[in-house]
Amino acid sequence: MVTFLASLLLLVVGYMTYSKVVERVFVINDNQKTPAYTKQDGMDYMPMSWWKGSLIQLLNIAGLGPIFGAVAGALYGPVAFIWIVFGCIFAGAVHDYFSGMLSLRHGGTQYPSLVGRYLGNGMKTAINVLSIILMILVAAAFTAGPAQLIAQITPLSFTAGLVIVFIYFLLAAILPINRIIGKIYPLFGAILIFMAGAIAVALLFGEAPIPNLTLENLHPGELPIWPLLMVTISCGAISGFHSTQSPIVARTMKKESEGRKIFYGAMVAEGIITLIWAAAAMTFFHGTEGLQAAIAAGGPAGVVNEVSSSLLGTLGGVLAILGVIILPITTGDTALRSSRMILTEMVSKRMNTEKRSVSLILSFAVAAPMFYLSTIDYSFLWRYVGWTNQVVATVMLWTAASYLLKEARNHWIAGVPAMFMTGVVCTYIFYAPEGFGMDYTISMIIGFTLTAIIGCIYAWQILRHKRMTEENGVTVSQVS
């Protein structure tokens, strides 16, 4: 229990302290009008209160990710707490803050355009494709579960459930943000927070002890911690999907100082939710072997239902059902909305994208493959979500580092986690079965070699910018 409480405290302290460091490095300007006012269009750009934006951001980035990912990551044992805490504070929240604030600073632009601005058009093209693929995979992976549960508790079939879900997706994607998302997301966000808080209280006052920290790998399948844990627990530590969602809220912010509460704060809140569910999964099933058996029997949804119903009674059962239906849907609808926004930026130079009919066509273009993929095996989809998600996150961190380097500010706050995540994804792609499926040692050697090469490129860029500032007679301290 000591480790669990210390981890919660560290996340709170991290928000109270390190978020202010990140904000100072970015340098906010509340005198500058935000896109919510300069581009107000009654659709995506419109002012919204910061607390509502925070809850919308939490639902956008969370869904079932911090619950299902935490359940799977808990198989490694309490070592998962370390990744959740430090990954969230120094990588995930930094990632989310810069993805949101850079979008805000550049007129509410989408993530691929930010990549193009700071890492080049070649990378922008690749990320455009990868971002759309990621959002299609995420929406498809999170849609089958709600449709199956709808079929179980109503007379409707699985296909009918899917149709209902996707009709909602399309409405949420093409209607003004204040019509559906702005009205119901704050309520759903409150449900997510209440659910996690109730589970935490039940754990703290329960009879079973919450396991304390051990660096031992307790995974029953003996899967290696590096880099699998960092991909298994993405939501709650760092997730590239968040960079595709942050521009949605960036287009509604009233002033730049709200960014720390909205982007950094929502990520820390997600980290706390992830920590609670990881602790619940380890504690309730009396260790990782019991947890593995529970996952094998009923999947992550079954684990959530059993934990909620047992710890919270009837209320827990109702919350579990609401969670398994509502939370993944709130991920899918904003994934479709973000896809529509990205595609709009891609084709804006070729057609009049202000027409509602164009938005509808673009939404249908993404919804069709989402619908098809939602009919296939969830676990198969989730394997590919993992590595594409963390590749996108890594590129966003490098984008932030490049921006800070260009502005002669403290680029290390993004560069160090970017290097760490580069090592994760380079190793994972060669080792994982959905990648090259190579021997673990060989994958480690290749992964760290590629990371070292990218590190050298980073060092060369640092020296290059230093030389340029010296030639121009400007010091870093003067610029920052």
Side-chain angles (χ1 to χ4, degrees):
M1 182 178 293
V2 173
T3 301
F4 174 67
L5 292 175
S7 297
L8 286 175
L9 179 62
L10 283 172
L11 284 169
V12 173
V13 172
Y15 170 72
M16 294 174 64
T17 58
Y18 197 65
S19 67
K20 294 180 181 178
V21 173
V22 174
E23 183 182 61
R24 282 200 300 271
V25 170
F26 182 77
V27 185
I28 59 171
N29 179 12
D30 277 347
N31 293 321
Q32 182 172 310
K33 283 191 174 182
T34 63
Y37 295 105
T38 60
K39 293 186 175 183
Q40 190 166 356
D41 62 359
M43 178 69 173
D44 298 314
Y45 294 91
M46 56 180 65
M48 197 174 289
S49 62
W50 74 264
W51 66 266
K52 187 175 287 189
S54 294
L55 288 172
I56 291 173
Q57 176 71 2
L58 179 60
L59 261 293
N60 283 358
I61 66 176
L64 278 178
I67 301 177
F68 280 14
V71 168
L75 287 170
Y76 291 90
V79 69
F81 293 157
I82 298 177
W83 168 236
I84 294 169
V85 171
F86 291 98
C88 178
I89 294 172
F90 297 107
V94 172
H95 167 281
D96 287 17
Y97 183 83
F98 278 98
S99 64
M101 295 303 291
L102 286 177
S103 173
L104 179 74
R105 187 64 63 83
H106 294 296
T109 192
Q110 290 295 300
Y111 162 64
S113 295
L114 295 175
V115 173
R117 179 182 290 268
Y118 294 105
L119 297 182
N121 287 328
M123 187 63 76
K124 175 184 177 180
T125 301
I127 287 299
N128 262 318
V129 175
L130 193 60
S131 297
I132 296 295
I133 290 174
L134 173 61
M135 284 183 283
I136 289 174
L137 288 173
V138 167
F142 276 157
T143 301
Q148 288 171 351
L149 190 53
I150 289 172
Q152 291 173 9
I153 64 178
T154 71
L156 297 174
S157 65
F158 171 73
T159 302
L162 276 182
V163 171
I164 291 172
V165 170
F166 272 91
I167 288 174
Y168 164 77
F169 279 2
L170 287 169
L171 290 173
I174 63 176
L175 289 175
I177 191 168
N178 63 339
R179 290 286 181 86
I180 295 179
I181 293 174
K183 289 182 178 179
I184 65 174
Y185 265 41
L187 174 61
F188 292 161
I191 291 174
L192 177 63
I193 294 170
F194 175 79
M195 187 177 181
I199 293 293
V201 171
L203 284 176
L204 291 173
F205 292 95
E207 296 181 359
I210 303 173
N212 283 317
L213 180 62
T214 172
L215 298 180
E216 183 181 359
N217 182 1
L218 301 180
H219 198 293
E222 298 183 353
L223 295 178
I225 292 174
W226 174 276
L228 299 188
L229 176 61
M230 293 76 190
V231 176
T232 302
I233 299 181
S234 53
C235 292
I238 178 171
S239 168
F241 179 72
H242 299 185
S243 63
T244 67
Q245 303 300 294
S246 295
I248 294 177
V249 178
R251 295 181 178 193
T252 70
M253 290 169 56
K254 293 182 178 180
K255 53 185 180 180
E256 290 190 354
S257 58
E258 295 174 346
R260 186 173 70 90
K261 293 178 284 190
I262 292 174
F263 299 118
Y264 202 104
M267 183 62 223
V268 170
E270 186 180 26
I272 291 173
I273 293 169
T274 305
L275 189 76
I276 291 169
W277 276 101
M282 294 177 208
T283 304
F284 184 83
F285 297 99
H286 307 289
T288 57
E289 291 187 0
L291 174 59
Q292 186 182 50
I295 293 175
V303 170
V304 171
N305 183 56
E306 188 172 352
V307 170
S308 300
S309 300
S310 300
L311 294 182
L312 305 179
T314 303
L315 173 62
V318 172
L319 288 174
I321 291 174
L322 285 174
V324 173
I325 292 179
I326 293 173
L327 296 180
I329 290 177
T330 60
T331 299
D333 61 2
T334 52
L336 182 56
R337 190 179 186 94
S338 295
S339 299
R340 187 260 298 167
M341 291 162 64
I342 289 176
L343 288 173
T344 297
E345 283 194 359
M346 290 173 63
V347 303
S348 60
K349 295 180 180 180
R350 301 181 181 180
M351 62 176 68
N352 182 9
T353 54
E354 296 301 318
K355 294 181 179 179
R356 191 63 54 85
S357 59
V358 174
S359 294
L360 186 61
I361 292 171
L362 294 175
S363 298
F364 267 111
V366 181
M370 283 181 180
F371 185 89
Y372 169 73
L373 289 174
S374 64
T375 63
I376 70 176
D377 180 50
Y378 164 89
S379 60
F380 173 80
L381 289 176
W382 196 245
R383 293 211 313 263
Y384 289 92
V385 168
W387 74 265
T388 55
N389 187 43
Q390 298 306 61
V391 168
V392 169
T394 304
V395 174
M396 182 60 235
L397 284 172
W398 282 123
T399 301
S402 179
Y403 163 78
L404 293 172
L405 190 59
K406 181 179 178 181
E407 296 294 317
R409 297 175 189 163
N410 182 9
H411 55 87
W412 297 110
I413 64 169
V416 171
M419 282 295 298
F420 180 88
M421 290 305 299
T422 299
V424 168
V425 297
C426 286
T427 306
Y428 185 87
I429 289 173
F430 285 96
Y431 175 67
E434 61 270 23
F436 294 99
M438 299 175 66
D439 175 77
Y440 181 64
T441 302
I442 295 175
S443 300
M444 290 274 286
I445 293 172
I446 297 175
F448 281 109
T449 300
L450 291 174
T451 303
I453 292 172
I454 294 173
C456 290
I457 295 173
Y458 181 34
W460 177 77
Q461 288 290 341
I462 294 171
L463 293 174
R464 176 173 170 268
H465 279 273
K466 183 179 179 180
R467 185 168 60 250
M468 289 174 62
T469 55
E470 289 175 349
E471 289 175 354
N472 293 330
V474 180
T475 66
V476 172
S477 60
Q478 287 175 324
V479 176
S480 57

